[in-house]
Amino acid sequence: MGSQEVLGQAARLASSGLLLQVVFRLITFVLNAFILRFLSKEILGIVNVRLTLLYSTTIFLAREAFRRACLSGSTQRDWSQTINLLWLTVPLGVFWSLFLGWVWLRLLEVPDPNVVPHYGAGVVLFGLSAVVELLGEPFWVLAQAHMFVKLKVVAESLSVILKSVLTAFLVLWLPHWGLYIFSLAQLFYTAILVLCYVTYFKKLLGFPKSTKQQALPVSRMTDLLPNILRSRAFINWKEAKLTWSFFKQSFLKQILTEGERYVMTFLNVLNFGDQGIYDIVNNLGSLVARLIFQPIEESFYIFFAKVLEREKDATLQKQEDIAVAAAVLESLLKLALLAGLTITVFGFAYSQLALDIYGGAMLSSGSGPVLLRSYCLYVLLLAINGVTECFTFAAMSKEQVDRYNFTMLALSFSFLVLSYLLTHWCGSVGFILANCFNMGIRITQSLCFIHRYYRESPHRPLAGLQLSPVLLGAFALSGGITGISEVFLCCEQGWLARLVHVAVGAFCLGATLGTVFLTETKLIHFLRTQLGVSRLTGKMT
């Protein structure tokens, strides 16, 4: 498969994922905004911070390294060994679930049962839901490796929507169930997610003459179960060693990704109510990152991993592939920078209004608006880091991954110390400031790697981080106008003033996007070309 064909598939995966996720996330957004009206801050803090941290930690430690190792390199591998390796995530998940569940029940502060009932049952069910989700890991990796465009997005989005519907129903009709509501909804989510993957592959493998089925390395459902291989080792030891390298890295990355929740959970720097407010703002602020940046990062990580060979420098690889990878990386960096700047500039003036619409006075008063404004800056760093790391992790050799682990260790330690100190100094905003600092260090590390990687070649993909003075001026002018508009029109002047404030923002956004269209012609050509490829290919599949 040539690099251009892989690029077309990656673009199709990203664009289709983006469109579908926007639709599904909007539905979920409305449902969550409705649910917020019926919950206390304390329950939100326990569910969104304490129990979700248990689930995400178990999932991340059990599968992240396996995913990265098994998606690296060519699809021309012994998939029987790869599938066997992936099934090891289940016993690993059981171990982490039991160990972390004991920590959550025995070592951490237990909430008042009169305020947050059924905490113990919540810990057990959230841990169980993590193990259930790991049952679908071989199906997920096989689908990603063969770029089944809509399966992942539809399965995850449908599961999230059904979970939100079930949660809303239980909150309305059985509010006295407490944490049972969210625990059962989480278990229901993972069960539906796995069922979607199993059902898809069962139907696909039932049609042996289909094009997609013929491209798969398996022919029946039993091939996706663990198998004893008579003439070969049970697993590919090279993949296993790479998995171990990624596991050490993922352990540290999890501290960076969920670091503020660990500090809140283990150091008790915020009460459960403040934790709930912070997490709602955090989720709202990261919504665009999940909608736009995550599908791009996941799709183009697969592209870079397929096009580039890990153990070779840029000068030793196919120059056509190196050129395509450089052009794609430059365009992705430009796209991430523009999207992040747009969110930062316009998010500052519309944070309070967004929180008031989403959760009412509980969110729009107090520290909520300051938190969201700070998070808008963090989103800019998230966007750039997602692109740079997706290239870096796809191009690094095993030895470079191991060396990067030491950097991640230092970052993890510095993040925990900074979070603790800054939280005592400026409250929950300290978590975002600590995240910004560490994200900046990670971006610097990746930029240095990319610069060294292309140093001996004529390609300079880091030029994607440069903007024209005209465009920078448009962003600055828009930020100034919307900031003045907020002072005079939002948010205590009534709905008419709010609508005028929104209209001012829409006008400034349109002018800024028009400037982007006129000045960033190379990026516009890239988007038109790849989205055109994705639409054409989508019609053919």
Side-chain angles (χ1 to χ4, degrees):
M1 184 181 294
S3 57
Q4 290 292 343
E5 185 177 354
V6 176
L7 173 59
Q9 288 188 341
R12 189 169 100 250
L13 182 62
S15 59
S16 298
L18 173 61
L19 293 174
L20 287 171
Q21 284 204 45
V22 167
V23 175
F24 287 124
R25 288 289 182 180
L26 284 176
I27 298 174
T28 308
F29 179 86
V30 174
L31 289 171
N32 288 339
F34 172 77
I35 294 171
L36 281 177
R37 267 67 178 179
F38 299 90
L39 299 175
S40 67
K41 295 187 294 184
E42 288 72 21
I43 286 184
L44 289 172
I46 290 294
V47 173
N48 292 347
V49 178
R50 180 73 67 85
L51 296 182
T52 301
L53 182 63
L54 169 65
Y55 163 80
S56 64
T57 303
T58 302
I59 286 290
F60 198 95
L61 294 178
R63 79 181 181 191
E64 177 69 13
F66 290 86
R67 283 187 171 185
R68 289 199 174 273
C70 295
L71 286 174
S72 299
S74 171
T75 56
Q76 300 300 319
R77 52 159 53 96
D78 189 331
W79 274 98
S80 297
Q81 292 179 320
T82 300
I83 289 171
N84 287 341
L85 181 64
L86 288 169
W87 277 108
L88 295 180
T89 59
V90 177
L92 190 60
V94 172
F95 165 76
W96 283 116
S97 178
L98 292 174
F99 174 73
L100 295 174
W102 176 80
V103 172
W104 258 239
L105 289 171
R106 300 297 182 185
L107 301 184
L108 298 181
E109 176 191 0
V110 176
D112 185 352
N114 294 321
V115 179
V116 184
H118 313 303
Y119 172 73
V123 170
V124 173
L125 290 175
F126 266 78
L128 177 61
S129 68
V131 176
V132 170
E133 184 168 340
L134 292 172
L135 295 174
E137 199 58 21
F139 303 91
W140 187 94
V141 170
L142 190 62
Q144 285 293 101
H146 290 81
M147 294 187 176
F148 290 172
V149 178
K150 297 180 182 178
L151 172 59
K152 174 180 178 293
V153 177
V154 171
E156 292 184 358
S157 301
L158 180 63
S159 302
V160 169
I161 289 176
L162 292 177
K163 171 189 173 182
S164 299
V165 171
L166 178 61
T167 302
F169 175 81
L170 294 176
V171 165
L172 280 178
W173 295 101
L174 298 168
H176 59 280
W177 276 23
L179 292 185
Y180 276 132
I181 295 173
F182 301 93
S183 304
L184 293 174
Q186 181 67 24
L187 188 60
F188 178 71
Y189 159 78
T190 56
I192 293 296
L193 182 63
V194 174
L195 185 61
C196 286
Y197 279 95
V198 173
T199 302
Y200 180 88
F201 276 97
K202 183 175 178 59
K203 290 186 176 181
L204 181 61
L205 294 175
F207 296 93
K209 295 183 180 181
S210 68
T211 304
K212 284 187 176 181
Q213 198 280 338
Q214 291 176 356
L216 289 175
V218 296
S219 58
R220 54 183 184 271
M221 288 295 290
T222 54
D223 293 337
L224 288 165
L225 298 176
N227 289 293
I228 302 298
L229 307 176
R230 296 181 180 179
S231 59
R232 305 182 304 282
F234 183 72
I235 60 174
N236 184 320
W237 286 104
K238 184 178 180 180
E239 281 185 344
K241 291 178 181 178
L242 185 60
T243 300
W244 173 242
S245 296
F246 278 126
F247 176 78
K248 292 182 288 184
Q249 175 186 316
S250 66
F251 186 85
L252 300 173
K253 184 179 178 181
Q254 176 65 3
I255 297 178
L256 293 175
T257 304
E258 302 281 8
E260 66 270 18
R261 288 188 173 91
Y262 288 117
V263 173
M264 283 187 282
T265 298
F266 289 94
L267 300 180
N268 296 321
V269 293
L270 298 176
N271 60 46
F272 291 128
D274 290 339
Q275 290 180 25
I277 296 297
Y278 173 82
D279 190 76
I280 293 172
V281 173
N282 181 62
N283 288 334
L284 185 62
S286 63
L287 181 64
V288 176
R290 294 195 303 269
L291 284 176
I292 300 177
F293 306 137
Q294 186 175 351
I296 292 175
E297 179 183 352
E298 291 178 349
S299 303
F300 283 94
Y301 171 79
I302 298 173
F303 163 73
F304 290 128
K306 286 177 179 292
V307 169
L308 304 175
E309 297 184 46
R310 285 187 177 275
E311 305 299 329
K312 292 184 179 181
D313 293 333
T315 55
L316 300 178
Q317 302 197 40
K318 294 181 180 179
Q319 292 307 300
E320 179 188 357
D321 292 345
I322 290 296
V324 171
V328 171
L329 178 57
E330 180 180 350
S331 296
L332 290 179
L333 285 173
K334 183 78 71 176
L335 179 63
L337 178 61
L338 290 174
L341 273 176
T342 302
I343 293 167
T344 301
V345 169
F346 289 91
F348 187 88
Y350 292 88
S351 293
Q352 185 176 359
L353 179 59
L355 290 175
D356 191 67
I357 295 173
Y358 185 61
M362 182 180 72
L363 295 182
S364 61
S365 60
S367 62
V370 178
L371 280 171
L372 190 55
R373 290 187 182 106
S374 303
Y375 203 95
C376 289
L377 173 61
Y378 180 52
V379 168
L380 170 60
L381 300 178
L382 273 177
I384 298 174
N385 181 72
V387 173
T388 55
E389 282 197 347
C390 95
F391 177 88
T392 300
F393 291 147
M396 276 183 172
S397 65
K398 178 183 177 300
E399 291 74 19
Q400 289 171 322
V401 171
D402 288 335
R403 287 197 299 268
Y404 191 79
N405 290 334
F406 291 102
T407 303
M408 296 288 280
L409 178 62
L411 284 176
S412 302
F413 178 75
S414 66
F415 173 79
L416 294 177
V417 173
L418 272 175
S419 296
Y420 183 77
L421 295 176
L422 291 176
T423 304
H424 278 282
W425 176 44
C426 53
S428 52
V429 177
F431 286 122
I432 301 177
L433 296 178
N435 271 313
C436 289
F437 174 81
N438 282 277
M439 197 61 64
I441 299 296
R442 288 169 64 178
I443 291 171
T444 302
Q445 289 287 116
S446 297
L447 292 179
C448 290
F449 174 84
I450 295 169
H451 173 73
R452 290 193 301 268
Y453 191 85
Y454 278 103
R455 183 170 47 194
E456 303 299 328
S457 74
H459 310 293
R460 296 294 179 264
L462 295 184
L465 294 176
Q466 299 175 359
L467 295 180
S468 67
V470 175
L471 185 53
L472 289 174
F475 275 114
L477 184 61
S478 295
I481 293 174
T482 54
I484 295 173
S485 174
E486 182 187 30
V487 172
F488 290 99
L489 299 175
C490 188
C491 288
E492 306 297 333
Q493 307 300 322
W495 279 103
L496 180 60
R498 293 184 178 192
L499 291 175
V500 175
H501 180 48
V502 171
V504 171
F507 174 79
C508 291
L509 179 60
T512 304
L513 293 179
T515 307
V516 170
F517 186 83
L518 294 175
T519 58
E520 300 296 339
T521 55
K522 190 174 181 179
L523 174 63
I524 299 301
H525 174 74
F526 172 81
L527 293 176
R528 281 178 171 175
T529 303
Q530 296 312 316
L531 291 179
V533 169
S534 69
R535 286 194 296 267
L536 178 60
T537 313
K539 293 178 181 179
M540 298 171 61
T541 56

